[in-house]
């Protein structure tokens, strides 16, 4: 079973209101609640992988941008 966290992430980033973002988060919570224990484990592993990858990407982007202000 594969979970498409990127789709939820993009929808959340593009949400027009806090209420819309909260509804998207609730969708994820409802999905998780409906899973079997085995699939909850997969969900958690895949979510951790997705978040680690996204944080790394953001850190890399930040370091690239902040490096523009530094002399070589």
């Amino acid at each position: 079973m594969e979970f498409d966290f990127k789709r939820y992430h993009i929808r959340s980033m593009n949400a027009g209101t806090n209420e819309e973002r909260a509804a998207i988060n609730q969708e994820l919570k409802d999905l998780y609640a409906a899973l079997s224990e085995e699939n909850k484990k997969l969900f958690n592993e895949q979510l951790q992988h997705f978040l680690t990858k996204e944080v790394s990407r953001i850190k890399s982007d930040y370091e690239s941008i902040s490096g523009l202000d530094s002399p070589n």
Side-chain angles (χ1 to χ4, degrees), residues 6-29:
K6 187 172 184 174
R7 181 175 60 99
Y8 288 100
H9 179 64
I10 291 171
R11 285 179 54 214
S12 181
M13 286 188 332
N14 292 322
T17 64
N18 287 336
E19 291 78 17
E20 187 178 354
R21 190 169 292 112
I24 294 165
N25 287 337
Q26 188 61 51
E27 282 181 44
L28 272 173
K29 290 177 183 179

